[in-house]
């Protein structure tokens, strides 16, 4: 299913830079009839277009995810894009050293970056149209690649993204047995100007810090080029596959 033909899509994490940019990019497509915008505070997005259906959700609470999913009919969506994620907050920052690791930060990042996408997929997979080349895309990160880890550090974030990559693989196998046309993939958005990357932009090479709109545009093009033959794998903003 090409994004130019998509009619109904759910985007999770619409309060985030990339999540909002996905919503806006989808709303620019003439084929789009409805965007389900899931996030903690999705109401402002509904002001952009009457095609937006805002759905409040706390992705760290399965009951909230289940209730949010009930707003969407089964066999209804062309794609689900999960663009939520966390690297730091007031209490948590990426660890430079093993000595800085804590149980709290490990649990929090695993919860937001791995458990939440799994539970969102658990409740939203049935909303995807069956046998219609539907797509389930989850924002991961290149730093979750074990083979690509040359710098060390960022233990909790790296491990939580490696974990979500494994969950994507597992879901692609199980869900692919029920619908051979389904594509389940992880996406790396590049380095994107957002709250998440703000403290870490100093060393980004010129031209390599994307606006959220740029990144969402690249990722929709990448998704357009992917089909069920690519399921279970991780792809970057430029279409390059990232090894696990
Ligand atoms: N920016 C980058 O350079 C970069 C690079 C590689 C990968 N990524 C990945 O891309 C995705 C989007 O990142 P972004 O740059 O758009 O970040 P962002 O602007 O910080 O947005 C992340 C969104 O995730 C949701 N979220 C975060 N923490 C949460 C929590 N504790 N509980 C519930 N929801 C939470 C929120 O959405 P709501 O407010 O709507 O609930 C939040 O706005 C993430 O998975 C990130 O890891 C980003």
């Amino acid at each position: 299913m090409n994004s130019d033909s998509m009619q109904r899509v759910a985007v999770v994490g619409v309060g985030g830079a990339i999540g909002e940019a996905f919503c806006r990019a989808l709303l620019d497509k003439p084929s789009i009839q409805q965007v389900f915008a899931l996030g903690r505070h999705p109401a402002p997005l509904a002001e952009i277009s009457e095609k937006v259906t805002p759905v409040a959700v706390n992705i760290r609470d399965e009951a909230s995810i289940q209730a949010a999913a009930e707003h969407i009919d089964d066999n209804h969506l062309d794609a689900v894009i999960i663009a939520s994620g966390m690297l730091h907050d007031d209490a948590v920052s990426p660890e430079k050293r093993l000595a800085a690791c804590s149980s709290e930060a490990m649990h929090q990042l695993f919860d937001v970056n791995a458990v939440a996408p799994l539970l969102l997929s658990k409740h939203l997979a049935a909303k995807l149209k069956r046998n219609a080349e539907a797509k389930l895309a989850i924002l991961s990160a290149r730093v979750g690649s074990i083979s690509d880890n040359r710098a060390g550090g960022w233990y909790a974030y790296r491990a939580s993204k490696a974990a979500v990559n494994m969950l994507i693989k597992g879901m692609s196998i199980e869900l692919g047995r029920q619908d051979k046309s389904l594509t389940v993939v992880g996406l790396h958005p590049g380095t994107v100007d957002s709250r998440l990357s703000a403290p870490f932009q100093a060393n980004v090479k010129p031209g390599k810090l994307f606006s959220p709109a740029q990144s969402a545009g690249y990722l929709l093009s990448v998704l357009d080029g992917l089909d069920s033959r690519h399921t279970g794998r991780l792809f970057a903003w430029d279409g390059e596959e990232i090894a696990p």
Side-chain angles (χ1 to χ4, degrees), residues 131-152:
N131 304 315
E133 299 180 5
K135 290 176 174 169
L136 169 58
I138 299 176
L139 273 280
S140 182
R142 185 185 297 279
V143 296
S145 163
I146 293 172
S147 54
D148 191 66
N149 184 355
R150 285 180 276 267

Side-chain angles (χ1 to χ4, degrees), residues 11-20 37-42 57-60 82-89 108 111-113 116-117 138-143 157 161 187-198 201 209-210 212 215 219:
V11 180
V12 183
V14 296
I18 301 173
E20 179 181 336
L38 280 71
R40 286 173 287 190
H41 310 288
V57 66
N58 174 1
I59 62 168
R60 300 188 69 188
I82 300 177
S84 47
M86 177 185 168
L87 172 59
H88 60 91
D89 66 9
Q108 194 172 341
D111 203 27
V112 175
N113 292 338
I138 299 176
L139 273 280
S140 182
R142 185 185 297 279
V143 296
Y157 186 71
K161 291 297 190 179
L187 296 175
H188 167 63
T191 305
V192 182
D193 190 9
S194 72
R195 276 193 313 264
L196 183 143
S197 70
Q201 293 177 0
L209 180 65
F210 302 145
S215 177
L219 292 178

Side-chain angles (χ1 to χ4, degrees), residues 154-177:
W154 291 34
Y155 287 92
Y157 186 71
R158 284 184 185 277
S160 67
K161 291 297 190 179
V164 79
N165 293 343
M166 176 59 95
L167 299 173
I168 288 166
K169 178 73 183 182
M171 291 191 291
S172 74
I173 294 169
E174 181 186 339
L175 298 174
R177 284 192 196 114

